[in-house]
Amino acid sequence: MKEADCKRILVTGGAGFLGSHLCEYLLRQGHDVLCVDNFYTGSKHNISNLLAHPRFELMRHDVTFPLYVEVDEIYNLACPASPVHYQNDPVQTTKTSVHGAINMLGLAKRVKAKILQASTSEVYGDPQVHPQTEQYWGHVNPIGIRSCYDEGKRCAETLFMDYRRQHNLQVKIARIFNTYGPRMHPNDGRVVSNFIMQALSNEPLTIYGDGSQTRSFCYVDDLIAAFDKLMNSPGDFCGPVNLGNPTEHTMLELAERVIALSNSRSSIVFKPLPSDDPVRRKPDISLARSMLEWEPGVSLDEGLRRTIDYFKGMRAGLDDEDVDVPADFASSMQEQGLHGGSPTPA
């Protein structure tokens, strides 16, 4: 890349699951990357291989406070994304989505930067329309145990669109459906990491409900490529746009695949479905196909193999101190089955 084409890019939540992959991707493109994270769910381990890179800079900062830097583009990925983490401190989760959006939008306005918001399929709630299109307004409980995340992300989308209308800001909104891959936290309570960790320990895989509820799983590399395409899409296109894999799988099918691919001796057990957990989740990605010329390319089996290999490699050195979630809280959340949220960054 020519020096003139090098951009200064801020990634909030850059030490998280998605953020760390995005930082790597942008560095490979030849950009300068400023990674901002307060390490609530992010980990320095995720970016340890980047610290010596001459174009990479790390800053510990909470986006609920203003940030004053000079950048050309902003990827706003900061927010705990799994129920275990965002329900541990629901008030702070809402603040991160809302105050964080206000602060990053204010920064973008000041430095005239383009800004991308990592939103989520959770804005659709427990959908009454299937598959979900961007025109669907959702079916969300505003006072439920998941509301801090669902409504926080919905409010962030509102702020992004209002800054676009009122201040002519260049904004992009990505609605991320279930994404998985290396660097997911092993105890985040989400279904892929839950199943893999249980399978590798030959423990029973826990399915909540009868296993017929569905999700659509997108491998992390596919999603990061979509971020890049969205950020560099025409200026008059802001989204929201669904980013995810449109192939639908039941929880029972996923469990059986994980057991087979990990050569596990695990059985499957069933427990009651938790409150507000969506029964069906599948994106309509027609808009992404037409406007971004994007669709996922990594199959579920291939993505699971890569993810299983990652968890195999890190199990012996598992370090839970990187996430400030009490062990008893995480355990109780998993017992409740709160594992169906779609991953978003941080």
Side-chain angles (χ1 to χ4, degrees):
M1 175 182 287
K2 296 179 180 178
E3 191 68 28
D5 297 325
C6 174
K7 299 174 185 175
R8 300 165 297 175
I9 301 179
L10 166 62
V11 180
T12 71
F17 162 46
L18 295 184
S20 61
H21 284 278
L22 177 60
C23 287
E24 282 187 353
Y25 180 93
L26 295 172
L27 289 170
R28 288 197 301 268
Q29 301 299 310
H31 300 298
D32 289 335
V33 175
L34 172 60
C35 169
V36 167
D37 207 298
N38 69 350
F39 299 107
Y40 174 59
T41 59
S43 167
K44 289 183 180 178
H45 293 304
N46 290 339
I47 52 168
S48 60
N49 62 319
L50 306 180
L51 295 175
H53 196 290
R55 291 188 180 275
F56 180 79
E57 182 180 357
L58 173 63
M59 177 187 296
R60 181 186 289 269
H61 180 81
D62 189 323
V63 296
T64 60
F65 297 93
L67 180 63
Y68 301 97
V69 293
E70 301 298 322
V71 293
D72 303 305
E73 293 179 352
I74 302 168
Y75 288 84
N76 187 36
L77 277 61
C79 188
S82 74
V84 164
H85 297 145
Y86 66 64
Q87 292 177 34
N88 183 47
D89 191 346
V91 172
Q92 185 63 26
T93 295
T94 303
K95 286 182 178 180
T96 300
S97 288
V98 178
H99 292 183
I102 291 170
N103 287 329
M104 292 305 106
L105 287 163
L107 172 61
K109 177 186 172 187
R110 182 179 69 82
V111 300
K112 297 180 173 58
K114 194 188 312 182
I115 181 169
L116 183 149
Q117 166 67 7
S119 189
T120 172
S121 61
E122 297 298 329
V123 300
Y124 298 123
D126 189 3
Q128 297 176 320
V129 170
H130 192 81
Q132 292 81 59
T133 68
E134 292 85 355
Q135 289 72 40
Y136 179 51
W137 290 355
H139 178 231
V140 178
N141 178 0
I143 58 172
I145 58 175
R146 303 169 69 103
S147 304
C148 59
Y149 184 70
D150 301 1
E151 295 289 26
K153 290 291 189 177
R154 285 164 68 94
C155 185
E157 286 195 13
T158 299
L159 287 162
F160 267 67
M161 293 306 297
D162 284 340
Y163 265 78
R164 173 182 169 85
R165 286 185 284 257
Q166 187 170 338
H167 301 296
N168 199 31
L169 202 62
Q170 291 190 71
V171 305
K172 309 286 182 179
I173 301 174
R175 287 181 178 165
I176 303 167
F177 283 69
N178 291 64
T179 303
Y180 70 100
R183 299 186 199 142
M184 294 182 74
H185 193 282
N187 294 326
D188 66 5
R190 289 188 282 207
V191 64
V192 172
S193 50
N194 270 6
F195 281 178
I196 292 176
M197 291 301 291
Q198 289 171 335
L200 292 179
S201 300
N202 293 308
E203 298 173 353
L205 271 63
T206 309
I207 289 181
Y208 297 90
D210 61 6
S212 64
Q213 68 270 36
T214 66
R215 294 293 184 273
S216 303
F217 299 99
C218 183
Y219 188 68
V220 60
D221 289 357
D222 284 331
L223 183 73
I224 298 305
F227 279 174
D228 182 44
K229 285 180 174 289
L230 178 56
M231 181 64 91
N232 293 289
S233 62
D236 60 351
F237 179 70
C238 63
V241 58
N242 290 338
L243 300 179
N245 195 316
T247 304
E248 196 173 6
H249 301 277
T250 68
M251 294 297 96
L252 183 58
E253 178 188 356
L254 178 68
E256 291 171 343
R257 287 195 183 201
V258 168
I259 290 172
L261 291 169
S262 58
N263 297 313
S264 174
R265 300 188 302 274
S266 295
S267 58
I268 295 174
V269 296
F270 296 87
K271 293 189 177 182
L273 194 67
S275 173
D276 295 335
D277 199 44
V279 175
R280 300 189 75 186
R281 186 63 62 72
K282 174 184 176 180
D284 182 319
I285 63 168
S286 301
L287 186 61
R289 286 190 175 114
S290 62
M291 292 301 300
L292 307 181
E293 298 182 345
W294 173 88
E295 61 182 324
V298 179
S299 69
L300 180 61
D301 281 354
E302 177 58 28
L304 286 175
R305 285 191 191 97
R306 297 179 192 177
T307 309
I308 290 168
D309 286 345
Y310 166 79
F311 278 111
K312 282 181 178 177
M314 57 82 70
R315 279 183 75 216
L318 198 60
D319 185 356
D320 292 332
E321 294 180 0
D322 290 322
V323 179
D324 186 18
V325 178
D328 57 345
F329 180 86
S331 175
S332 69
M333 294 295 285
Q334 291 188 17
E335 280 299 312
Q336 293 176 51
L338 296 172
H339 65 300
S342 66
T344 56

